Amino acid sequence: MSGFGRMWVSVALMLVGLMWGAARAESGEAIAQIVIEGNQRIEAETIRSYLLVQEGHSFDPERIDRSLKSLFSTGLFADVTLHRQGDHLVVSVVENPIINRIAFEGNMRVKDDVLSQEIQLRPRVVYTRTKVQNDVQRLIDLYRRRGRFAATVEPKIIQKEQNRVDLVFEINEGQPTYVQRINFIGNRRYSDSALREVLTTQEERWYRFLSSTDTYDPDRLTYDRELLRRFYLQHGHVDFQIVSAVAELTPDRSGFFITFTIEEGERYRYGDITVDAKVSALRERDLSEFVASREGEWYNANEVEKTVQKLTDAAGAMGHAFVDVRTQLKRDREKQRVDIVYDIQEGPRVFIERIDISGNVRTLDAVIRREFRVVEGDAFNTAKLRRSKQRIENLNFFEKVDIHTVPSETAPDRTVVKVAVEEKSTGDLSFGVGWSTTAGAMMEIGLRERNLLGRGQDLRTSLMVGQRRVQIDASFTEPYFLDRDLAAGFDVFAIQRNLQRESSYDSSSLGGA
């Protein structure tokens, strides 16, 4: 090879060497070994599985940074560092402790088992600050639902051996946060006192010490908005609106002022009422007999709902289970009349696969299911589902009732009805004192349970003790006797009278019905 050729070969080798050196400098040297430090319970191989770099890879800062984030995202570690020592990548970890025990202190009004069900952390679960703060908020929300907005929760940890901790929630329940005042703005036709009678939330009074309706509950306030809307729609106020419902907490956090801002609108009467059946077999039938309202009467949303239900049932009785009855309202604001068209159309063929009920800790499923106007396997019917929800709410066993549907996972023409309820107290205790010309001074105590043993049965007992009279009463009602929509029950009483002053004898009577 000539000297000129050897020179070009040397230059080429130099360029290749420079390019290889630049590439090596850019990518960094290869990782010879990954060293795991600080792990106690978690295996080193488990930690390596979360890394995005392995032995033999280059020291890539971006992938090392992503590996750091990957380890933190597991929630297993309180601290993680990755650093280079020569050709070794050292991963130092500080494991989050394991919860050994969870305890509650300071809770007098709410039992430990209720609080335990509310939180998500459990013994033998990895402790993280985020999970603890989330559980603190859940406990605060629980107390707020029970009307205690002054409650505070402070988490404390007690270090134990083997990287374990005891988690203690220190609770200051505070005083109940009562509703001190309920105000209405915009009501002209009905007084504040009349509208307060519609609501389930009540103002604080000394004689309501056995009731919780005078404590503030956001869910109850939402239900009160619906009750207020129903009330006005039942009395002809088609344009009624609730502009706002604001609950203001006093500066000392001792009470709430609730203000409803409403627009009543004008009161309407019925105008023309027609039934438009787009199902061919129903066009030939006279369906007007199922309309509950008449022209000229005051508009009532309950009557409209009853008509929708009657038309749906009538169509089903005629062999058309899949119908959709919708109402179309046309307002005449000058004459203050509203025309109604009941539009009957063929609905989608969807069946109810099953009805799932949740949230009923004490009330039996059967008590809720018997209020449904549909059962599993029936054709899906929106009107009947609305009526079922209303019947469950009318039981007055639950603070909240939510019914919604989700598509079935087994068939496209099936749907699953989800029912979520939140139970409330159904017991009543009453006291009374008085005076009678026949019995003298007397005192009475009464006890009632409207949902006995979660079966929906009603049990009442009362005892009246007077100077010249003692009376005991007891009654029991089974609302669904023999699983039929038939109420049955009994009443018994025992009366002892002292008639020595009037007739020189005593009287005893025992009876029932």
Side-chain angles (χ1 to χ4, degrees):
M1 180 182 295
S2 65
F4 184 76
R6 285 195 297 271
M7 182 184 69
W8 278 109
V9 171
S10 300
V11 171
L13 290 174
M14 289 176 61
L15 290 174
V16 171
L18 289 172
M19 293 174 62
W20 180 82
R24 181 178 178 86
E26 182 179 351
S27 61
E29 296 180 0
I31 299 173
Q33 185 179 359
I34 297 177
V35 181
I36 309 296
E37 296 179 347
N39 57 312
Q40 299 179 14
R41 302 183 313 274
I42 304 172
E43 297 290 338
E45 289 303 320
T46 302
I47 297 175
R48 286 192 177 92
S49 68
Y50 292 113
L51 299 176
L52 301 180
V53 292
Q54 301 296 329
E55 295 172 354
H57 291 177
S58 62
F59 284 93
D60 186 348
E62 181 182 352
R63 301 188 71 177
I64 291 176
D65 182 63
R66 289 166 57 194
S67 299
L68 178 68
K69 294 177 180 178
S70 175
L71 288 172
F72 267 118
S73 66
T74 63
L76 299 173
F77 308 104
D79 190 22
V80 180
T81 59
L82 280 75
H83 62 277
R84 177 178 177 179
Q85 287 185 355
D87 57 356
H88 290 185
L89 177 63
V90 180
V91 181
S92 299
V93 298
V94 177
E95 295 179 356
N96 275 322
I98 293 293
I99 297 176
N100 178 62
R101 183 176 65 93
I102 298 177
F104 303 94
E105 295 181 355
N107 54 309
M108 303 294 292
R109 300 288 180 177
V110 185
K111 296 181 180 179
D112 286 3
D113 55 349
V114 176
L115 297 175
S116 297
Q117 293 175 3
E118 192 70 19
I119 64 176
Q120 292 188 344
L121 285 173
R122 295 289 183 268
R124 297 182 296 278
V125 171
V126 176
Y127 169 93
T128 65
R129 290 184 178 181
T130 302
K131 292 180 180 179
V132 171
Q133 291 303 320
N134 290 339
D135 280 347
V136 167
Q137 189 59 47
R138 289 188 181 92
L139 294 176
I140 291 176
D141 291 342
L142 172 65
Y143 274 97
R144 287 183 175 180
R145 291 197 300 269
R146 293 172 178 251
R148 293 181 178 267
F149 278 74
T152 59
V153 180
E154 186 70 24
K156 301 289 185 181
I157 59 171
I158 302 173
Q159 297 288 345
K160 309 287 286 187
E161 69 278 358
Q162 298 179 352
N163 198 25
R164 296 177 301 138
V165 294
D166 287 345
L167 177 59
V168 180
F169 291 99
E170 295 183 353
I171 301 173
N172 180 6
E173 295 181 324
Q175 294 298 319
T177 312
Y178 294 104
V179 176
Q180 296 183 2
R181 185 71 178 171
I182 301 176
N183 299 314
F184 297 89
I185 299 175
N187 53 313
R188 303 187 309 273
R189 186 174 294 274
Y190 303 99
S191 64
D192 285 12
S193 59
L195 295 180
R196 290 190 193 105
E197 293 295 325
V198 178
L199 309 179
T200 55
T201 302
Q202 297 176 309
E203 294 179 346
E204 178 189 8
R205 295 291 184 269
W206 67 268
Y207 51 81
R208 295 195 178 114
F209 63 93
L210 294 175
S211 172
S212 62
T213 56
D214 56 354
T215 57
Y216 173 69
D217 185 342
D219 293 334
R220 190 187 299 132
L221 184 62
T222 302
Y223 181 53
D224 284 337
R225 290 171 63 110
E226 177 63 19
L227 291 178
L228 205 58
R229 188 187 70 86
R230 290 182 190 176
F231 173 79
Y232 271 95
L233 290 179
Q234 289 171 13
H235 292 81
H237 295 269
V238 181
D239 297 326
F240 172 77
Q241 288 184 344
I242 299 178
V243 178
S244 65
V246 180
E248 296 178 295
L249 186 62
T250 57
D252 60 357
R253 305 179 71 86
S254 63
F256 274 93
F257 288 86
I258 298 177
T259 303
F260 291 92
T261 303
I262 63 177
E263 292 181 0
E264 291 183 329
E266 298 298 332
R267 197 178 183 195
Y268 286 76
R269 294 182 183 271
Y270 290 112
D272 294 333
I273 303 175
T274 57
V275 179
D276 183 11
K278 293 184 172 60
V279 181
S280 57
L282 298 179
R283 292 176 185 171
E284 303 173 357
R285 303 293 298 269
D286 183 11
L287 301 177
S288 59
E289 59 179 300
F290 301 106
V291 178
S293 49
R294 294 292 179 264
E295 183 178 351
E297 297 177 348
W298 290 112
Y299 175 85
N300 188 327
N302 276 358
E303 293 179 351
V304 174
E305 184 65 28
K306 288 179 181 178
T307 300
V308 171
Q309 186 64 52
K310 287 182 178 180
L311 290 172
T312 303
D313 294 341
M318 298 175 191
H320 296 272
F322 302 97
V323 296
D324 186 15
V325 181
R326 300 184 181 182
T327 56
Q328 299 176 4
L329 305 183
K330 184 178 180 181
R331 300 172 178 82
D332 186 341
R333 289 184 169 83
E334 293 183 0
K335 297 180 180 180
Q336 295 180 11
R337 294 166 67 89
V338 55
D339 298 335
I340 302 179
V341 177
Y342 294 97
D343 186 16
I344 305 177
Q345 299 184 12
E346 192 75 35
R349 293 180 175 271
V350 179
F351 296 89
I352 297 176
E353 181 178 277
R354 68 178 187 274
I355 300 174
D356 294 339
I357 302 174
S358 62
N360 53 320
V361 179
R362 189 165 63 96
T363 306
L364 300 180
D365 278 11
V367 174
I368 300 174
R369 289 182 183 275
R370 67 193 184 191
E371 300 301 328
F372 269 86
R373 301 298 90 186
V374 291
V375 297
E376 294 165 344
D378 281 359
F380 179 80
N381 188 298
T382 305
K384 290 185 177 181
L385 210 59
R386 286 198 303 267
R387 177 58 179 156
S388 300
K389 179 181 179 181
Q390 190 174 23
R391 288 175 62 90
I392 296 173
E393 290 175 340
N394 291 342
L395 291 174
N396 201 23
F397 297 164
F398 309 105
E399 287 280 3
K400 185 178 180 182
V401 179
D402 177 60
I403 298 180
H404 63 279
T405 59
V406 296
S408 171
E409 298 178 355
T410 59
D413 63 342
R414 303 278 176 174
T415 187
V416 178
V417 178
K418 298 281 188 178
V419 184
V421 298
E422 182 180 325
E423 293 181 320
K424 67 178 181 181
S425 175
T426 55
D428 298 313
L429 180 64
S430 60
F431 297 94
V433 294
W435 185 85
S436 168
T437 56
T438 58
M442 55 186 179
M443 179 181 68
E444 183 176 7
I445 180 173
L447 180 65
R448 181 186 182 188
E449 173 55 57
R450 295 181 287 105
N451 188 16
L452 183 64
L453 301 177
R455 299 176 180 272
Q457 299 163 338
D458 192 343
L459 176 65
R460 306 186 193 194
T461 59
S462 64
L463 170 65
M464 191 275 288
V465 179
Q467 289 179 301
R468 296 185 296 276
R469 178 185 176 120
V470 177
Q471 179 173 339
I472 301 175
D473 294 281
S475 67
F476 174 81
T477 303
E478 168 57 66
Y480 278 80
F481 183 62
L482 298 178
D483 292 329
R484 298 175 180 270
D485 193 3
L486 176 66
F490 62 84
D491 296 271
V492 295
F493 64 88
I495 303 174
Q496 178 74 40
R497 296 185 181 91
N498 182 352
L499 302 176
Q500 293 292 335
R501 295 174 57 183
E502 296 86 354
S503 306
S504 301
Y505 71 91
D506 294 336
S507 170
S508 298
S509 57
L510 180 67

